[in-house]
Each structure stands twice: as C-alpha cells, then as structure tokens.
Amino acid sequence: MDLLPRSHSEFHSPEYWDDFFKKRGTKAFEWYGEYPELCGILHKYIKPVEKVLVVGCGNSQLSENLYDVGYHNITNIDISDTMDFQDGEFGVVLDKGTLDALMTDDSEAVVKDIDKMFGEICRVLKLGGRYICISLLQEHIMTKMLHYYPEIGWPLRVHKVVTENSENTDKEFHMPVFALVATKFKKIPGMNPYYALLRQQISKRNVSGEQVSLSLYSQDVKEPRYTLYIVDSPNKTKNKFAIFIVPQGRETEWLFSTDAGRQQIASSAGFDRVVIVTLNRKHQYQDLDSIKAELSTKVMELAPPGFKTGIQVPFLSVGVDIGCRIVQCEGCSDLSGQYVIEDVESDRGETYRRLIFLTNQNIVQSEARFKQVLKFSTKTDVVDIDPTMVSVATNWFEFKEDERLKTHVADGLDFIKKESESDKKRHVVMIDVDSKDTTLGMSCPPQPFVEQEFLKQIKHLLLPNDLKSVVLQTLTDIYPKVYVKKIEDEVNTIVYALAETSAEKELKGDNERGNKTLPGKVLESVKELDTLVKKCNRQTEIKLVDMFNDMKLANC
C-alpha cells in the first residue's frame, strides 16, 4: 500500500490526507507510541483543568485516551480545520508526529512553513504554557528545536519515550521516540529562563547522581566563559559548599571531564555540594583572585539546600595557579572539522603541545612534550585519512619522515586490509582514531575499527610471536639452560639463565635424565640468598626456595 507522499508539499494538502485515511481504513494511526507509553510524560506536563490543543490529530486515539482519564478540555485540529484561536488561549499544545511530518528537511521553503507553525503555537499558548512535541528527533528537527525556542527565551526539556516494553505488537515504527517540552516564558533581556528554573530546583533538593551543568557567557561572545558542573555528595558531610576551579588545559583529564571523575573530586573534597568550574580557551583570565571576584556572586546562587548566607565559600584548585594555555593555531579540515593547537603547562612546569578536535573537546587527539625529540629505532608506518592532519603534525609537532618513518594518506581500514592481504607482517598495530558520531557512546575508535572482520585482518597482519617469546627464544639460543617463573597476580616473569660454568656437567646430566627443575647447586645458592634476605628483613614473608622450586625449563 503506497501511503508515502511524492513531496513534502503534499503534507499540506487535505486531498493527500483524505486519500491516506481512505487507504488505511478505520484502524487508528498511532504516530510514535501508544497512550500507555506516553502517559507518564503527558501527565507530568498537562493538568486536567488546562485547555489542550492537539495539532495534527489525524485518527489517533490519544485525545480519546486523555479524555477517559479526566482531561475534558481538549480541542483537536487537523489540516482541513480553519479554526481561529485567541492569543494565550491554551495551556498546552500537543503535537504527536506532526512536526516530523511537516519538516521533511531543512530547505528554505520547509523552514519557512515551520517558523509560521511555531509562531502560531507561541501565540495561542499562555505564559507558562507548554508545547509538547512527540518526535523521532532527526538531526534537522533537533537543530531547529534547539535553536528556535531557547532563542526566544523558552527552556526546553527532552525525554526519551520508553517503548521497548510495550505490549503493542502492531507498531508502525521501531525507532527511538522522544518528547520535547518547551515552556513559554516572557523574554527578559539578560535573563535566562533555564538558569532561573535550575536555580529554583537545586536550591530545594540534592542532585546526587544527576548530570547538572550550565554555562556562563560574557556579553557579545558566542563561546561560554565558564562551564559549571554541580556535583552533590550522596551522603551528608561536615562541610556544605565549595567551588573548584579547574586549571586551564586540564579540563580534558578524566578527573575533570567525566561524571565519575567529578564525583570523585566531590567525595575527596568532603562537601555536600561542589561546583566544578572549567575555563574556556576562547577567553583570557588574569589569575585565581580575579576569577573568584568574577564568580562569587553567581555561584552563591547555586548553593545547596539549607546553606546560610554570609558564610564564606572556599575556592579550591590544583596547585596555586590557574595554569597556562596558549592557543598556537586554529583551523578547519574538511574531514576532521574544526581543530585547535595549544600549548599547556602541566603542574610540574612542563609544557605540552596538544591537538584537539572541537567536535569532541574532552579528548586530546595528540600530545607531545614541548621540544622533545622522538627518534624511531624501528620501522614505522603512520596512516591518516586527513592530509590536513599530516600538515599539522609536520608544522606544529616537528614530525619528520625518514628512512624508518613513513606517512601514508589513506583510509586506515583500507590500508590494514591491503597489508593483511600481502605477505607483510607487523610486530605492533596501534589504533588511534576518534569518532565523529557522538551518539554512539564511544569516543574512540569509530565502530568499523572494532568490528570482527577488521580485527581478524589485524590478527592476520601481526607476527605470531609476541616480544616476550622473542626474548625467551634469544636467551635459549645462547644459554644451555633457561628457567622461567610466572609471578602470580603480576605482569612480570622471572627468567633465570645459566651459563656454562662448573655446573655444566650437572646440567648435562639433568638433560639426559629429563630433569626440568633447577639443579641442586643452584637451589643451594637460592637457600643462602633466602637466609640473607630474612636477616635483612625479618618481617618478609617471601620464600625464594618455594618460588624457584617450581620454575620450568624453557629450552627443553
């Protein structure tokens, strides 16, 4: 049955929808979820006494379901309706799939129609009213929502609709569904409604386990000056409130860039609430005292419940300074997007040069200690798909090719495939590739680099012996007897190589008898060493004899 329109303009045509429902019959068309899947979110944002406008209702049973549970003030409209409404007439405008149907792309004609629709929604909603949009949240729709409503001063919330456990076996769609809730606020110059809501919520309750953050901007600057993470301790502590300033350049470290790391800071600091502040590379900062003066008033508005005004709030940091960051270069690559090269000073006074992709600022793509010269003693091939990054390495990181270091501008997947199909073998293959798709939940590497076929190609490319085996083989080629002992719960292995000495005759006799343990004279030496160790440290529990007794012969 062909129900799809020939173009987006048909979504505006009453004839298309009349034909759609004739072909479909009397069966209700539930866009993106049944009522049981949506009711939790809808009941949270809709009060039974409010007037509700359902736009693009079609033949969905959603309005009927809401009516049955007490929502009796519902108006349904569809494309064939030409009803006029008063300004601020409704408390809620409910849209279940209509925006997705109308905004098929982000072309100029489509966006113009959507702006007109959004303008009408803004007009008919009263102050404090909510526009609830049930959507698949494709990228162009998400971008439109995130730009349109925050720009007019409306806070926007996003919820994922849980459909996995639905009892509905006749689903029209099998894709993730989201509910976006935009709340109408009167726009006040210099006042962010999201900030006002956040302040109100965190002043009344503990937000432990939640990811709460906000950005503070300077006037006429697009990039935030400060990013604040509010971290609450799950347990009561002796101290109430503190501010932690992350030194410049260290915001990419695990401790400061992840929720688990920030939670560790809060636990170690011993405060009910810690506001962790990062500094943006687009801004200049004088010193810690100037940052304190700049932030003091604003961060006091983020105090935990029960915090008494007038109490001095401590500012914490790592070291005594805010660190040093010098941006050396900013650029844009067709393949890697925007990037920045910066010099950052560590807490030990060492300077590091870093390459950071701005699509994923919490990951340092490359880092080298300043003026450190790297010499490759082994033959190394470096592969990068982006020629711009090769230029960056050459111009900013002193990368130089020679007879042992070669660069290949190619797709790493293709390069490994060709290498594995040839007779070439490698001791080591290193994968250091970032993922541009942040929705996958894995920053490095991209998914194709961890799929079975690619990993099999790497296995085929690698030499069968690891370095440890190579070393043991070399030792057994030189020494008459080599014994090995794997240490429990350790990565190390003890290797005991015996040279041709006065014990040679005993060694040969052991070989003839098939004895694979240490010879008696060697064990006697171990016992003497054991006695000396215990004399030096009576508390030691190490028994060298026991360790050496079960050493195995490697070259037999």
Side-chain angles (χ1 to χ4, degrees):
M1 187 187 299
D2 184 17
L3 299 176
L4 295 175
R6 289 183 291 274
S7 70
H8 80 272
S9 60
E10 289 198 2
F11 281 121
H12 298 263
S13 167
E15 290 76 19
Y16 166 75
W17 288 109
D18 289 342
D19 185 53
F20 177 93
F21 288 114
K22 281 179 183 177
K23 289 180 180 179
R24 183 170 174 81
T26 58
K27 182 182 177 183
F29 186 48
E30 293 301 342
W31 291 74
Y32 312 166
E34 301 279 353
Y35 177 73
E37 300 162 352
L38 300 169
C39 63
I41 295 171
L42 298 180
H43 293 179
K44 180 178 180 179
Y45 291 105
I46 308 175
K47 299 175 183 177
V49 297
E50 287 183 306
K51 287 189 70 174
V52 180
L53 175 65
V54 180
V55 294
C57 58
N59 69 343
S60 169
Q61 295 179 337
L62 180 60
S63 297
E64 179 184 337
N65 297 141
L66 285 169
Y67 188 92
D68 290 342
V69 295
Y71 296 86
H72 296 160
N73 205 348
I74 300 175
T75 302
N76 295 282
I77 62 170
D78 213 302
I79 194 159
S80 58
D81 291 308
T82 56
M83 298 178 66
D84 292 324
F85 303 108
Q86 299 295 318
D87 293 357
E89 184 173 340
F90 295 95
V92 174
V93 172
L94 180 56
D95 164 1
K96 184 166 177 258
T98 301
L99 177 61
D100 284 15
L102 296 178
M103 193 171 183
T104 53
D105 55 46
D106 55 1
S107 62
E108 185 177 350
V110 171
V111 170
K112 186 177 180 180
D113 287 338
I114 297 303
D115 285 341
K116 190 183 298 183
M117 170 184 163
F118 282 175
E120 280 298 291
I121 289 172
C122 296
R123 184 184 66 80
V124 302
L125 273 176
K126 66 181 182 180
L127 283 175
R130 280 84 60 207
Y131 169 42
I132 304 174
C133 176
I134 311 299
S135 168
L136 293 180
L137 206 56
Q138 295 166 279
E139 185 175 357
H140 65 284
I141 291 175
M142 177 179 67
T143 301
K144 182 63 178 174
M145 292 288 288
L146 290 176
H147 279 84
Y148 188 92
Y149 287 102
E151 282 182 3
I152 63 173
W154 293 27
L156 186 67
R157 299 177 178 88
V158 181
H159 299 268
K160 186 178 185 300
V161 178
V162 180
T163 59
E164 288 79 3
N165 300 322
S166 171
E167 296 179 358
N168 177 23
T169 57
D170 186 27
K171 290 185 180 180
E172 301 292 338
F173 295 94
H174 299 270
M175 298 176 70
V177 180
F178 300 88
L180 296 91
V181 183
T183 304
K184 184 174 181 177
F185 271 66
K186 184 178 180 181
K187 190 170 184 179
I188 303 172
M191 179 63 181
N192 187 322
Y194 169 77
Y195 179 70
L197 279 176
L198 179 65
R199 265 182 60 188
Q200 183 186 36
Q201 291 179 5
I202 67 173
S203 66
K204 295 180 179 179
R205 63 184 181 87
N206 182 292
V207 293
S208 173
E210 301 179 35
Q211 300 176 19
V212 183
S213 64
L214 67 149
S215 297
L216 301 181
Y217 291 77
S218 301
Q219 287 185 343
D220 303 323
V221 180
K222 292 184 179 180
E223 298 291 334
R225 183 164 173 80
Y226 300 102
T227 300
L228 281 60
Y229 300 90
I230 300 162
V231 187
D232 282 357
S233 171
N235 305 310
K236 281 287 184 182
T237 66
K238 292 182 179 180
N239 305 303
K240 275 284 185 181
F241 188 36
I243 316 299
F244 189 99
I245 308 296
V246 179
Q248 294 181 92
R250 299 193 61 179
E251 68 278 353
T252 58
E253 296 178 18
W254 176 86
L255 198 62
F256 309 118
S257 65
T258 65
D259 294 318
R262 290 189 287 266
Q263 190 64 59
Q264 184 173 312
I265 292 174
S267 300
S268 301
F271 287 85
D272 287 352
R273 174 171 293 171
V274 177
V275 176
I276 299 174
V277 182
T278 60
L279 316 178
N280 192 286
R281 62 173 50 86
K282 290 285 187 179
H283 295 263
Q284 298 295 320
Y285 307 91
Q286 186 177 346
D287 52 32
L288 191 57
D289 288 336
S290 65
I291 291 175
K292 289 180 183 179
E294 197 174 349
L295 287 176
S296 289
T297 303
K298 191 59 64 178
V299 294
M300 288 305 295
E301 298 173 348
L302 306 175
F307 184 75
K308 296 179 181 179
T309 57
I311 298 177
Q312 187 173 2
V313 178
F315 277 75
L316 313 175
S317 189
V318 179
V320 294
D321 203 352
I322 61 171
C324 178
R325 180 198 345 245
I326 301 173
V327 175
Q328 296 289 359
C329 174
E330 294 179 82
C332 186
S333 160
D334 293 338
L335 292 172
S336 301
Q338 290 185 310
Y339 63 87
V340 62
I341 298 165
E342 60 188 22
D343 292 343
V344 176
E345 189 176 299
S346 72
D347 53 355
R348 298 187 299 274
E350 299 170 332
T351 301
Y352 289 84
R353 179 157 291 177
R354 291 175 173 173
L355 166 66
I356 294 175
F357 293 150
L358 297 186
T359 52
N360 198 344
Q361 298 188 37
N362 284 339
I363 291 182
V364 176
Q365 188 64 25
S366 298
E367 180 180 78
R369 195 165 69 184
F370 199 53
K371 292 184 178 179
Q372 183 182 26
V373 179
L374 295 176
K375 293 183 179 179
F376 287 83
S377 58
T378 57
K379 188 177 183 301
T380 305
D381 289 283
V382 181
V383 183
D384 201 301
I385 195 172
D386 191 349
T388 303
M389 292 301 109
V390 177
S391 298
V392 166
T394 303
N395 297 332
W396 293 99
F397 289 84
E398 298 185 5
F399 179 85
K400 295 178 182 178
E401 284 190 286
D402 56 31
E403 68 278 0
R404 305 197 69 79
L405 178 62
K406 298 297 180 185
T407 305
H408 307 266
V409 178
D411 186 329
L413 297 170
D414 294 337
F415 186 86
I416 290 293
K417 183 179 180 181
K418 290 177 182 177
E419 290 285 293
S420 67
E421 291 172 351
S422 70
D423 294 330
K424 293 181 181 178
K425 294 292 181 180
R426 306 280 178 166
H427 285 100
V428 178
V429 174
M430 295 179 63
I431 306 297
D432 182 19
V433 188
D434 75 309
S435 174
K436 296 295 185 285
D437 188 352
T438 56
T439 64
L440 295 177
M442 185 167 67
S443 300
C444 304
Q447 191 169 347
F449 285 83
V450 291
E451 289 179 351
Q452 254 191 16
E453 184 61 31
F454 181 72
L455 296 177
K456 286 179 180 177
Q457 290 169 2
I458 291 179
K459 181 182 178 183
H460 182 74
L461 181 60
L462 289 170
L463 288 165
N465 291 327
D466 60 16
L467 188 57
K468 186 184 292 185
S469 300
V470 172
V471 171
L472 282 175
Q473 184 60 51
T474 304
L475 287 170
T476 55
D477 289 344
I478 298 172
Y479 291 89
K481 275 199 174 182
V482 177
Y483 296 86
V484 293
K485 165 67 178 179
K486 180 71 178 71
I487 305 175
E488 189 176 352
D489 299 327
E490 278 282 350
V491 297
N492 296 317
T493 298
I494 296 176
V495 180
Y496 195 95
L498 296 179
E500 290 187 356
T501 63
S502 58
E504 181 180 2
K505 187 175 180 180
E506 183 181 353
L507 293 174
K508 289 180 178 177
D510 286 341
N511 281 335
E512 292 170 0
R513 293 189 296 273
N515 185 9
K516 295 183 176 61
T517 60
L518 281 172
K521 287 187 177 180
V522 175
L523 285 177
E524 288 178 9
S525 300
V526 172
K527 288 178 182 178
E528 291 181 11
L529 183 60
D530 207 5
T531 304
L532 288 173
V533 170
K534 290 182 178 178
K535 281 184 179 179
C536 295
N537 184 1
R538 294 182 180 180
Q539 303 299 320
T540 183
E541 296 181 358
I542 298 174
K543 293 183 179 180
L544 297 179
V545 175
D546 292 345
M547 291 180 63
F548 278 77
N549 260 331
D550 58 354
M551 291 188 82
K552 302 299 181 185
L553 189 62
N555 54 346
C556 183

Short mmCIF file of all heavy atoms in Angstrom, two decimals, residues 420-460:
data_model
loop_
_atom_site.label_atom_id
_atom_site.label_comp_id
_atom_site.label_asym_id
_atom_site.label_seq_id
_atom_site.Cartn_x
_atom_site.Cartn_y
_atom_site.Cartn_z
N SER A 420 47.10 -6.81 5.22
CA SER A 420 46.82 -8.18 5.65
C SER A 420 46.77 -9.15 4.48
O SER A 420 47.01 -10.35 4.64
CB SER A 420 45.49 -8.23 6.43
OG SER A 420 44.40 -7.94 5.58
N GLU A 421 46.42 -8.63 3.28
CA GLU A 421 46.36 -9.49 2.10
C GLU A 421 47.74 -9.71 1.48
O GLU A 421 47.90 -10.58 0.63
CB GLU A 421 45.43 -8.84 1.05
CG GLU A 421 43.96 -8.87 1.48
CD GLU A 421 43.07 -8.06 0.55
OE1 GLU A 421 43.63 -7.34 -0.32
OE2 GLU A 421 41.84 -8.13 0.69
N SER A 422 48.72 -8.90 1.90
CA SER A 422 50.09 -9.05 1.40
C SER A 422 50.87 -9.99 2.32
O SER A 422 50.33 -10.54 3.28
CB SER A 422 50.79 -7.69 1.33
OG SER A 422 51.04 -7.20 2.63
N ASP A 423 52.13 -10.17 2.03
CA ASP A 423 52.98 -11.05 2.85
C ASP A 423 53.63 -10.29 4.00
O ASP A 423 54.42 -10.86 4.76
CB ASP A 423 54.07 -11.69 1.98
CG ASP A 423 53.47 -12.64 0.95
OD1 ASP A 423 52.41 -13.22 1.27
OD2 ASP A 423 54.05 -12.80 -0.13
N LYS A 424 53.36 -9.00 4.14
CA LYS A 424 53.99 -8.21 5.19
C LYS A 424 53.44 -8.59 6.56
O LYS A 424 52.28 -8.95 6.70
CB LYS A 424 53.74 -6.71 4.95
CG LYS A 424 54.43 -6.17 3.70
CD LYS A 424 54.14 -4.67 3.54
CE LYS A 424 54.80 -4.12 2.30
NZ LYS A 424 54.50 -2.68 2.11
N LYS A 425 54.32 -8.51 7.57
CA LYS A 425 53.92 -8.78 8.94
C LYS A 425 54.38 -7.64 9.84
O LYS A 425 55.37 -6.98 9.55
CB LYS A 425 54.51 -10.11 9.43
CG LYS A 425 53.96 -11.34 8.72
CD LYS A 425 52.50 -11.58 9.05
CE LYS A 425 51.96 -12.83 8.37
NZ LYS A 425 50.54 -13.06 8.70
N ARG A 426 53.66 -7.43 10.93
CA ARG A 426 53.97 -6.34 11.86
C ARG A 426 54.08 -6.87 13.28
O ARG A 426 53.38 -7.81 13.66
CB ARG A 426 52.87 -5.28 11.81
CG ARG A 426 52.57 -4.74 10.43
CD ARG A 426 53.55 -3.70 9.99
NE ARG A 426 53.28 -3.23 8.64
CZ ARG A 426 53.80 -2.15 8.10
NH1 ARG A 426 54.66 -1.43 8.80
NH2 ARG A 426 53.52 -1.80 6.86
N HIS A 427 54.97 -6.25 14.06
CA HIS A 427 55.05 -6.58 15.48
C HIS A 427 53.90 -5.92 16.25
O HIS A 427 53.35 -6.51 17.18
CB HIS A 427 56.38 -6.10 16.08
CG HIS A 427 57.55 -6.95 15.68
ND1 HIS A 427 58.42 -6.60 14.68
CD2 HIS A 427 57.97 -8.16 16.14
CE1 HIS A 427 59.34 -7.56 14.55
NE2 HIS A 427 59.09 -8.51 15.42
N VAL A 428 53.55 -4.70 15.88
CA VAL A 428 52.55 -3.93 16.63
C VAL A 428 51.66 -3.17 15.65
O VAL A 428 52.14 -2.62 14.66
CB VAL A 428 53.22 -2.91 17.59
CG1 VAL A 428 52.16 -2.09 18.32
CG2 VAL A 428 54.12 -3.62 18.58
N VAL A 429 50.36 -3.15 15.93
CA VAL A 429 49.42 -2.29 15.22
C VAL A 429 48.70 -1.44 16.26
O VAL A 429 48.07 -1.96 17.18
CB VAL A 429 48.38 -3.10 14.41
CG1 VAL A 429 47.34 -2.17 13.79
CG2 VAL A 429 49.07 -3.91 13.32
N MET A 430 48.82 -0.12 16.14
CA MET A 430 48.18 0.80 17.08
C MET A 430 47.04 1.53 16.39
O MET A 430 47.19 2.04 15.29
CB MET A 430 49.20 1.83 17.61
CG MET A 430 50.30 1.22 18.44
SD MET A 430 51.48 2.47 19.01
CE MET A 430 50.41 3.50 20.03
N ILE A 431 45.87 1.58 17.04
CA ILE A 431 44.70 2.28 16.52
C ILE A 431 44.46 3.53 17.38
O ILE A 431 44.23 3.42 18.58
CB ILE A 431 43.44 1.39 16.54
CG1 ILE A 431 43.71 0.06 15.82
CG2 ILE A 431 42.26 2.13 15.94
CD1 ILE A 431 44.01 0.19 14.37
N ASP A 432 44.55 4.69 16.76
CA ASP A 432 44.33 5.95 17.48
C ASP A 432 43.44 6.84 16.61
O ASP A 432 43.90 7.77 15.97
CB ASP A 432 45.68 6.62 17.78
CG ASP A 432 45.52 7.91 18.57
OD1 ASP A 432 44.45 8.10 19.18
OD2 ASP A 432 46.45 8.73 18.58
N VAL A 433 42.16 6.50 16.55
CA VAL A 433 41.21 7.18 15.66
C VAL A 433 40.02 7.66 16.48
O VAL A 433 39.48 6.92 17.30
CB VAL A 433 40.71 6.24 14.54
CG1 VAL A 433 39.88 6.99 13.52
CG2 VAL A 433 41.88 5.52 13.87
N ASP A 434 39.61 8.92 16.28
CA ASP A 434 38.46 9.44 17.01
C ASP A 434 37.19 9.22 16.19
O ASP A 434 37.23 9.07 14.98
CB ASP A 434 38.63 10.93 17.33
CG ASP A 434 38.41 11.79 16.10
OD1 ASP A 434 39.04 11.50 15.06
OD2 ASP A 434 37.61 12.73 16.17
N SER A 435 36.05 9.18 16.89
CA SER A 435 34.76 9.00 16.23
C SER A 435 34.05 10.34 16.17
O SER A 435 33.93 11.04 17.18
CB SER A 435 33.90 8.00 17.01
OG SER A 435 32.60 7.92 16.46
N LYS A 436 33.57 10.70 15.00
CA LYS A 436 32.85 11.96 14.84
C LYS A 436 31.38 11.83 15.25
O LYS A 436 30.68 12.82 15.41
CB LYS A 436 32.95 12.44 13.38
CG LYS A 436 34.37 12.77 12.94
CD LYS A 436 34.94 13.96 13.70
CE LYS A 436 36.29 14.39 13.19
NZ LYS A 436 37.38 13.50 13.59
N ASP A 437 30.90 10.58 15.37
CA ASP A 437 29.50 10.35 15.74
C ASP A 437 29.41 10.21 17.25
O ASP A 437 29.68 9.16 17.83
CB ASP A 437 28.98 9.08 15.05
CG ASP A 437 27.48 8.89 15.25
OD1 ASP A 437 26.89 9.65 16.04
OD2 ASP A 437 26.91 8.00 14.61
N THR A 438 29.01 11.30 17.93
CA THR A 438 28.95 11.30 19.40
C THR A 438 27.74 10.57 19.94
O THR A 438 27.62 10.39 21.16
CB THR A 438 28.93 12.76 19.92
OG1 THR A 438 27.82 13.46 19.32
CG2 THR A 438 30.21 13.48 19.54
N THR A 439 26.82 10.12 19.07
CA THR A 439 25.62 9.43 19.55
C THR A 439 25.89 7.97 19.88
O THR A 439 25.05 7.31 20.48
CB THR A 439 24.50 9.50 18.49
OG1 THR A 439 24.93 8.79 17.31
CG2 THR A 439 24.20 10.94 18.12
N LEU A 440 27.07 7.44 19.49
CA LEU A 440 27.35 6.02 19.68
C LEU A 440 27.76 5.68 21.10
O LEU A 440 27.75 4.53 21.50
CB LEU A 440 28.45 5.57 18.71
CG LEU A 440 28.10 5.64 17.22
CD1 LEU A 440 29.31 5.24 16.39
CD2 LEU A 440 26.92 4.74 16.90
N GLY A 441 28.15 6.70 21.88
CA GLY A 441 28.56 6.44 23.26
C GLY A 441 30.00 5.97 23.39
O GLY A 441 30.44 5.58 24.47
N MET A 442 30.75 5.96 22.28
CA MET A 442 32.17 5.57 22.31
C MET A 442 32.96 6.60 21.52
O MET A 442 32.77 6.76 20.32
CB MET A 442 32.35 4.17 21.73
CG MET A 442 33.79 3.65 21.85
SD MET A 442 33.93 1.89 21.50
CE MET A 442 33.53 1.83 19.77
N SER A 443 33.84 7.32 22.21
CA SER A 443 34.57 8.41 21.56
C SER A 443 35.66 7.90 20.63
O SER A 443 35.93 8.51 19.60
CB SER A 443 35.20 9.33 22.63
OG SER A 443 34.20 9.88 23.45
N CYS A 444 36.32 6.82 21.00
CA CYS A 444 37.41 6.27 20.19
C CYS A 444 37.39 4.75 20.34
O CYS A 444 37.22 4.24 21.44
CB CYS A 444 38.77 6.79 20.67
SG CYS A 444 38.92 8.58 20.71
N PRO A 445 37.64 4.01 19.28
CA PRO A 445 37.67 4.43 17.89
C PRO A 445 36.28 4.35 17.28
O PRO A 445 35.34 3.91 17.96
CB PRO A 445 38.60 3.40 17.27
CG PRO A 445 38.29 2.15 18.04
CD PRO A 445 37.98 2.59 19.45
N PRO A 446 36.09 4.71 15.99
CA PRO A 446 34.79 4.52 15.34
C PRO A 446 34.44 3.04 15.27
O PRO A 446 35.31 2.17 15.30
CB PRO A 446 35.02 5.09 13.92
CG PRO A 446 36.19 6.01 14.06
CD PRO A 446 37.06 5.40 15.13
N GLN A 447 33.16 2.76 15.15
CA GLN A 447 32.68 1.37 15.20
C GLN A 447 33.32 0.45 14.17
O GLN A 447 33.64 -0.71 14.50
CB GLN A 447 31.16 1.36 15.04
CG GLN A 447 30.55 -0.01 15.34
CD GLN A 447 29.03 0.06 15.44
OE1 GLN A 447 28.46 1.13 15.52
NE2 GLN A 447 28.40 -1.08 15.41
N PRO A 448 33.57 0.88 12.92
CA PRO A 448 34.18 -0.06 11.95
C PRO A 448 35.54 -0.59 12.39
O PRO A 448 35.94 -1.66 11.94
CB PRO A 448 34.32 0.81 10.68
CG PRO A 448 33.24 1.85 10.81
CD PRO A 448 33.16 2.15 12.28
N PHE A 449 36.23 0.13 13.29
CA PHE A 449 37.56 -0.31 13.73
C PHE A 449 37.50 -1.39 14.82
O PHE A 449 38.54 -1.88 15.23
CB PHE A 449 38.36 0.89 14.23
CG PHE A 449 38.88 1.76 13.11
CD1 PHE A 449 38.08 2.73 12.54
CD2 PHE A 449 40.17 1.60 12.63
CE1 PHE A 449 38.54 3.53 11.51
CE2 PHE A 449 40.65 2.39 11.59
CZ PHE A 449 39.83 3.36 11.03
N VAL A 450 36.31 -1.72 15.30
CA VAL A 450 36.19 -2.78 16.31
C VAL A 450 35.28 -3.91 15.84
O VAL A 450 34.90 -4.77 16.62
CB VAL A 450 35.67 -2.21 17.66
CG1 VAL A 450 36.71 -1.32 18.30
CG2 VAL A 450 34.37 -1.45 17.48
N GLU A 451 34.95 -3.89 14.55
CA GLU A 451 34.12 -4.97 14.02
C GLU A 451 34.99 -6.20 13.73
O GLU A 451 36.19 -6.11 13.52
CB GLU A 451 33.39 -4.50 12.76
CG GLU A 451 32.31 -3.49 13.09
CD GLU A 451 31.58 -2.97 11.85
OE1 GLU A 451 32.04 -3.29 10.73
OE2 GLU A 451 30.57 -2.26 12.01
N GLN A 452 34.34 -7.35 13.71
CA GLN A 452 35.04 -8.64 13.63
C GLN A 452 35.98 -8.75 12.43
O GLN A 452 37.14 -9.15 12.57
CB GLN A 452 34.01 -9.78 13.57
CG GLN A 452 33.91 -10.54 14.86
CD GLN A 452 33.09 -11.81 14.72
OE1 GLN A 452 32.84 -12.30 13.62
NE2 GLN A 452 32.67 -12.35 15.84
N GLU A 453 35.51 -8.37 11.27
CA GLU A 453 36.30 -8.55 10.06
C GLU A 453 37.61 -7.76 10.13
O GLU A 453 38.68 -8.25 9.78
CB GLU A 453 35.49 -8.10 8.84
CG GLU A 453 36.18 -8.35 7.51
CD GLU A 453 36.48 -9.83 7.27
OE1 GLU A 453 35.70 -10.70 7.75
OE2 GLU A 453 37.50 -10.12 6.61
N PHE A 454 37.53 -6.51 10.64
CA PHE A 454 38.72 -5.68 10.74
C PHE A 454 39.69 -6.24 11.77
O PHE A 454 40.91 -6.28 11.55
CB PHE A 454 38.32 -4.25 11.12
CG PHE A 454 39.48 -3.31 11.23
CD1 PHE A 454 40.16 -2.87 10.10
CD2 PHE A 454 39.92 -2.86 12.47
CE1 PHE A 454 41.25 -2.00 10.20
CE2 PHE A 454 41.00 -2.00 12.58
CZ PHE A 454 41.66 -1.57 11.43
N LEU A 455 39.18 -6.72 12.90
CA LEU A 455 40.04 -7.29 13.94
C LEU A 455 40.72 -8.57 13.45
O LEU A 455 41.87 -8.84 13.80
CB LEU A 455 39.23 -7.55 15.20
CG LEU A 455 38.65 -6.30 15.89
CD1 LEU A 455 37.80 -6.70 17.09
CD2 LEU A 455 39.75 -5.34 16.32
N LYS A 456 40.04 -9.34 12.62
CA LYS A 456 40.65 -10.54 12.03
C LYS A 456 41.79 -10.16 11.10
O LYS A 456 42.81 -10.84 11.03
CB LYS A 456 39.60 -11.35 11.28
CG LYS A 456 38.62 -12.09 12.20
CD LYS A 456 37.59 -12.85 11.37
CE LYS A 456 36.62 -13.60 12.28
NZ LYS A 456 35.57 -14.29 11.49
N GLN A 457 41.60 -9.06 10.36
CA GLN A 457 42.65 -8.59 9.46
C GLN A 457 43.91 -8.18 10.23
O GLN A 457 45.03 -8.47 9.81
CB GLN A 457 42.14 -7.41 8.63
CG GLN A 457 41.08 -7.79 7.61
CD GLN A 457 40.39 -6.59 6.99
OE1 GLN A 457 40.71 -5.44 7.30
NE2 GLN A 457 39.41 -6.84 6.14
N ILE A 458 43.70 -7.52 11.39
CA ILE A 458 44.84 -7.14 12.22
C ILE A 458 45.56 -8.39 12.74
O ILE A 458 46.80 -8.47 12.73
CB ILE A 458 44.39 -6.25 13.39
CG1 ILE A 458 43.93 -4.89 12.88
CG2 ILE A 458 45.52 -6.07 14.40
CD1 ILE A 458 43.46 -3.95 13.96
N LYS A 459 44.78 -9.37 13.18
CA LYS A 459 45.37 -10.61 13.69
C LYS A 459 46.22 -11.28 12.62
O LYS A 459 47.33 -11.77 12.89
CB LYS A 459 44.28 -11.57 14.17
CG LYS A 459 44.83 -12.86 14.74
CD LYS A 459 43.71 -13.80 15.16
CE LYS A 459 44.27 -15.11 15.68
NZ LYS A 459 43.21 -16.07 16.03
N HIS A 460 45.72 -11.31 11.39
CA HIS A 460 46.46 -11.92 10.29
C HIS A 460 47.74 -11.14 9.98
O HIS A 460 48.75 -11.72 9.57
CB HIS A 460 45.58 -11.99 9.05
CG HIS A 460 46.23 -12.64 7.87
ND1 HIS A 460 46.43 -14.01 7.80
CD2 HIS A 460 46.76 -12.12 6.73
CE1 HIS A 460 47.05 -14.30 6.67
NE2 HIS A 460 47.26 -13.18 6.00
#
